[in-house]
Amino acid sequence: MTEGSRDNGLRWIADAYDTGYTLALCEGLSPYELLRRVGAEEHHIVPLTGSAASQLLLRNEEDHLSDLDFLDWEDEAAVAQLTDAGFLPAPPETIVRAGSVAGWAYGLEGFYCRTARYLAALSERGRAFCVHSNEKGFSGIGYACRGEMVTYFEPGLPDFTNGAPAQAALGFAHNGDEPDDVAFLRFLESELGIFLPWEETEAELPSAAFS
C-alpha cells in the first residue's frame, strides 16, 4: 500500500487487504455492540492490532507461540486469555476487529465474510453496509436498514441481485472503470462522508475470533 492510498477515505482498504476482506459499516452502534451482534461473547472480546490479528490467522497450530511477535509466550495470563477467547491454539476461521468513526461502527475482517450474515441485525438503529471482496476478484455488497435486508448484489451482475436493484435502493451504478469493490467504497465515501484513517485501524481494536 502506498502512502497516497491512505488518503482515500475508504478505498485504501482494497489495497491493504488485497487477498480479501470484509468491511461492515453500521449506523448508531458501538464497536462492542457490532461484535456482540455477530456472535461474540463480551468476555471473549480482546484488544488486537491489525498485525496481531494477521499473525493469529496465518499461523499453523503446530507453530510455537514464540513466533507471535506481539505476545510474550511466557505470560500465562495473556496466553490463557487468547486461548479462552478462541484465538489459540488453532487459528480461527476469521477475526472481526471493530472500531468507530463519525457515528458509525465499522468491522474489518481479512479473507472471510462473517459480518454479511448478520447485516439485518447490524442495521437495527439505522443503515448498515457490507462490502466483501476476495483474491479472485469476486465482490458482494449488502445493504440493510432498520432491521431489514434491502439488497445484496454483485456489481455489474444484475441477475445475481437479491432484493431491490442497487440503482433503486442506493442510487449506485457501476460503470466498470475500476474494480467493483473500489467503486462502491468510493460511493460510500461520497454518500456518507466517512474518512477511516489507516493508522486507527492498525492500532488495538476490540476483536473477536470465530471458527
Side-chain angles (χ1 to χ4, degrees):
M1 183 174 60
T2 65
E3 287 290 334
S5 67
R6 299 180 188 181
D7 295 332
N8 298 327
L10 296 171
R11 282 167 286 152
W12 62 264
I13 296 170
D15 290 330
Y17 293 84
D18 56 358
T19 57
Y21 70 90
T22 300
L23 167 71
L25 286 170
C26 314
E27 194 171 24
L29 295 185
S30 72
Y32 284 90
E33 287 173 322
L34 185 156
L35 292 174
R36 288 196 297 266
R37 288 172 191 242
V38 300
E41 297 182 29
E42 184 80 36
H43 60 289
H44 286 164
I45 297 173
V46 300
L48 288 178
T49 64
S51 174
S54 295
Q55 291 178 49
L56 288 165
L57 284 171
L58 296 174
R59 70 184 297 272
N60 294 315
E61 186 173 356
E62 298 78 17
D63 293 342
H64 195 274
L65 293 180
S66 61
D67 293 335
L68 294 170
D69 296 337
F70 72 94
L71 179 66
D72 178 359
W73 65 275
E74 295 182 316
D75 185 339
E76 295 182 359
V79 172
Q81 181 188 39
L82 290 171
T83 301
D84 291 344
F87 295 94
L88 296 172
E93 184 173 47
T94 191
I95 294 173
V96 181
R97 303 172 63 245
S100 61
V101 57
W104 296 73
Y106 65 86
L108 278 170
E109 54 186 311
F111 316 120
Y112 202 63
C113 191
R114 182 179 181 90
T115 46
R117 295 160 47 189
Y118 298 88
L119 200 57
L122 292 171
S123 73
E124 183 179 325
R125 294 183 188 162
R127 297 164 290 173
F129 300 90
C130 183
V131 184
H132 172 68
S133 178
N134 66 22
E135 59 184 350
K136 297 179 180 179
F138 165 83
S139 296
I141 293 166
Y143 169 57
C145 187
R146 297 293 179 184
E148 299 289 339
M149 280 298 302
V150 178
T151 186
Y152 188 87
F153 63 95
E154 299 175 33
L157 297 173
D159 291 342
F160 290 89
T161 297
N162 186 1
Q167 179 76 48
L170 295 166
F172 172 72
H174 182 27
N175 59 18
D177 290 343
E178 55 190 343
D180 297 343
D181 59 319
V182 175
F184 194 75
L185 292 173
R186 183 189 295 276
F187 171 79
L188 287 178
E189 291 171 7
S190 174
E191 292 296 305
L192 306 180
I194 287 180
F195 174 80
L196 184 55
W198 173 83
E199 292 82 1
E200 288 187 15
T201 69
E202 285 300 295
E204 282 192 344
L205 294 175
S207 306
F210 302 94
S211 297

